[in-house]
Amino acid sequence: MTYIRSQFRHPGLPKNDLGYTTKEYEGAISTLCAGCGHDSISGSIIQACFEMSIAPHRIAKLSGIGCSSKTPTYFLGHSHGFNSVHGRMPSVATGASMANRDLLYMGVSGDGDSASIGMGQFVHVIRRNLNMVYIVMNNGCYGLTKGQDSATADAGSKSKKGVANPFQPIDMAGLALELGASFVAQSFSGDKEQLIPLIKAAIDHPGFAFINVISPCVTFNNNPGSTKSYDYVREHMEATATVDFVPLKKEITTSYQKGTGTDIKMHDGSYIHLEKLADDLDPYDRLSAMNALQNARNKNEILTGLLYINPESTDLHHTIQTSDSALNSLSQAELCPGSSVLEGINGELR
């Protein structure tokens, strides 16, 4: 009966501003392999939403196909959710956002779902700057089909079969930067101290917020020779900075020496606090972020943290001037204003 989750929680669990404990942000028990990095990411999402006091019914979870796309079942069980077909999550998210702009959209995908069959949709959801959080759980292999190399597997990396991958990888964070994403971050599933504030900052960002999370596959890609294994990532991870998300209502304090950190102000007055930035990284400068990512790659390092942010980002709704109200809240009179209005519109086109 291990599939049944106990409803008991310690009565002294901390509560957020809504009076909820983390129980209200949990989902079903995971059926992924024990030790899968994806479960740690799910736990980080739960903690981030709890700490931000977001009502679960305000969140819509969307995913495609793959081990990663199963994870929305395991967090935010009281939220809206839609599991789409392989690689097509971005178009479903776009349609949902156009219909109801009042929800917070969180897309979960994998390296196969986004870097292969879904690449075209990934490209266009970035260029449209859809207001959503897009998390790629990146393990470099196809876990559901027995561990074949994915498009993000590094050249020379060895899967469980022991065969070295002969192809160059697609760098998801680098691609997002090149395509113009307004928020780009990279992290490791085993580093919740970094990942949780990154998720919180991504949720707060007005536009497309992309987080590429290296998430080792313990069954097919956690062996010696793999560049996506727990040991390899821990040994080669280079953090851009210590990251913290500071809500608007919280007093801003700093504990770093002058010249070693910065506070990035968000559109609503909240902050992302970065301490001890990498020497070659300016998180406001896209070119600086691309150079820092390339330099890390040349040294066989995995650069993690907040890579780039545009604090003046405007999302798709602003660009195409959609209704300020969600479509499901508009009355019949607003949706069908009458023949005279239609005649006026047609008259302007003559």
Side-chain angles (χ1 to χ4, degrees), residues 97-112:
S97 177
M98 291 298 98
N100 189 349
R101 63 186 299 164
D102 293 337
L103 295 179
L104 299 172
Y105 291 93
M106 183 172 294
V108 178
S109 186
D111 40 307

Side-chain angles (χ1 to χ4, degrees), residues 170-184:
I170 292 176
D171 185 331
M172 298 299 288
L175 181 62
L177 283 168
E178 177 66 29
L179 292 170
S182 54
F183 179 108
V184 180

Side-chain angles (χ1 to χ4, degrees), residues 5-315:
R5 182 188 291 275
S6 171
Q7 296 301 306
F8 174 78
R9 297 292 184 277
H10 192 283
L13 279 179
K15 295 183 179 181
N16 62 16
D17 292 343
L18 299 175
Y20 293 155
T21 67
T22 52
K23 176 184 175 182
E24 280 72 33
Y25 296 87
E26 296 173 351
I29 291 179
S30 175
T31 60
L32 298 175
C33 304
C36 179
H38 295 1
D39 285 331
S40 294
I41 301 173
S42 295
S44 295
I45 293 172
I46 290 170
Q47 190 64 30
C49 294
F50 164 75
E51 291 180 6
M52 294 185 76
S53 297
I54 300 173
H57 69 270
R58 290 193 56 232
I59 300 174
K61 309 170 294 181
L62 304 115
S63 63
I65 296 296
C67 292
S68 57
S69 292
K70 294 172 62 179
T71 61
T73 304
Y74 313 137
F75 61 84
L76 300 175
H78 300 295
S79 299
H80 306 280
F82 193 95
N83 182 231
S84 70
V85 294
H86 205 184
R88 272 41 176 192
M89 177 267 287
S91 59
V92 175
T94 301
S97 177
M98 291 298 98
N100 189 349
R101 63 186 299 164
D102 293 337
L103 295 179
L104 299 172
Y105 291 93
M106 183 172 294
V108 178
S109 186
D111 40 307
D113 194 56
S114 286
S116 291
I117 191 170
M119 176 60 78
Q121 298 228 348
F122 178 71
V123 167
H124 289 289
V125 75
I126 292 178
R127 63 183 283 266
R128 291 177 179 136
N129 202 21
L130 185 68
N131 189 13
M132 69 176 299
V133 178
Y134 196 112
I135 297 175
V136 167
M137 300 181 180
N138 190 343
N139 57 20
C141 72
Y142 291 95
L144 283 185
T145 53
K146 311 308 180 193
Q148 303 94 328
D149 289 331
S150 78
T152 66
D154 294 313
S157 179
K158 294 182 180 179
S159 65
K160 191 174 182 180
K161 292 188 297 183
V163 179
N165 174 41
F167 303 112
Q168 290 297 317
I170 292 176
D171 185 331
M172 298 299 288
L175 181 62
L177 283 168
E178 177 66 29
L179 292 170
S182 54
F183 179 108
V184 180
Q186 190 158 261
S187 193
F188 171 49
S189 63
D191 188 0
K192 286 187 175 182
E193 186 176 348
Q194 180 191 70
L195 182 56
I196 290 172
L198 286 176
I199 293 173
K200 292 162 72 175
I203 291 173
D204 196 61
H205 179 70
F208 186 82
F210 177 69
I211 307 178
N212 182 50
V213 187
I214 307 301
S215 179
C217 175
V218 293
T219 300
F220 296 111
N221 208 15
N222 194 39
N223 48 279
S226 168
T227 59
K228 294 286 193 294
S229 67
Y230 278 110
D231 288 344
Y232 185 93
V233 175
R234 288 192 178 107
E235 291 172 3
H236 294 80
M237 186 168 61
E238 179 68 24
T240 62
T242 301
V243 184
D244 190 20
F245 177 76
V246 186
L248 176 62
K249 62 186 178 182
K250 181 179 176 182
E251 180 186 3
I252 306 298
T253 59
T254 57
S255 59
Y256 56 89
Q257 296 178 0
K258 185 177 180 180
T260 63
T262 186
D263 286 324
I264 296 176
K265 189 174 183 178
M266 306 287 278
H267 69 290
D268 63 352
S270 57
Y271 285 81
I272 305 172
H273 172 62
L274 302 179
E275 186 174 335
K276 295 182 175 66
L277 266 65
D279 293 335
D280 56 349
L281 177 65
D282 176 0
Y284 292 111
D285 186 331
R286 190 181 302 275
L287 183 59
S288 170
M290 295 172 71
N291 287 336
L293 201 59
Q294 183 63 53
N295 290 336
R297 192 183 305 128
N298 290 340
K299 295 185 289 185
N300 293 320
E301 294 176 346
I302 301 169
L303 190 64
T304 66
L306 178 64
L307 305 180
Y308 173 77
I309 185 172
N310 177 6
E312 305 300 327
S313 170
T314 54
D315 73 345

